[in-house]
Amino acid sequence: MRVRVYAGVDPVTGSEHYFQETVSAGPDAQKIAEKMLNRVVNQVLEGRAPKTKATINQLIEKYVEVADWEETPGVPIAA
């Protein structure tokens, strides 16, 4: 069994995120899957973000877009 819950969109890559857990087959698989589902839904509700699949370049580009840049007086800009 697989428990999969939609968790929003990756702000860097724009791809959809899902929390996903796998439950091994067995007599208690249904109970275990329900517990996992509750845990995963709580993770989404708490705002825990799944890991991004963004590359380093994508992360740097995003940072440059949102960074608050200001010049420090008396510090020369590197050439």
Side-chain angles (χ1 to χ4, degrees), residues 3-22:
V3 175
R4 189 170 190 226
V5 177
Y6 176 73
V9 177
D10 184 322
V12 177
T13 65
S15 62
E16 294 181 338
H17 269 299
Y18 293 87
F19 280 108
Q20 186 169 297
E21 296 280 344
T22 303

Side-chain angles (χ1 to χ4, degrees), residues 7-63:
V9 177
D10 184 322
V12 177
T13 65
S15 62
E16 294 181 338
H17 269 299
Y18 293 87
F19 280 108
Q20 186 169 297
E21 296 280 344
T22 303
V23 180
S24 299
D28 295 331
Q30 183 69 34
K31 257 189 218 179
I32 294 169
E34 288 173 8
K35 286 181 182 179
M36 281 186 174
L37 177 61
N38 288 332
R39 188 179 76 228
V40 171
V41 167
N42 284 332
Q43 288 176 338
V44 172
L45 294 174
E46 290 171 1
R48 295 187 196 172
K51 295 178 183 172
T52 183
K53 293 181 180 173
T55 65
I56 295 296
N57 284 342
Q58 288 173 314
L59 294 172
I60 290 171
E61 287 172 8
K62 187 68 172 179
Y63 175 77

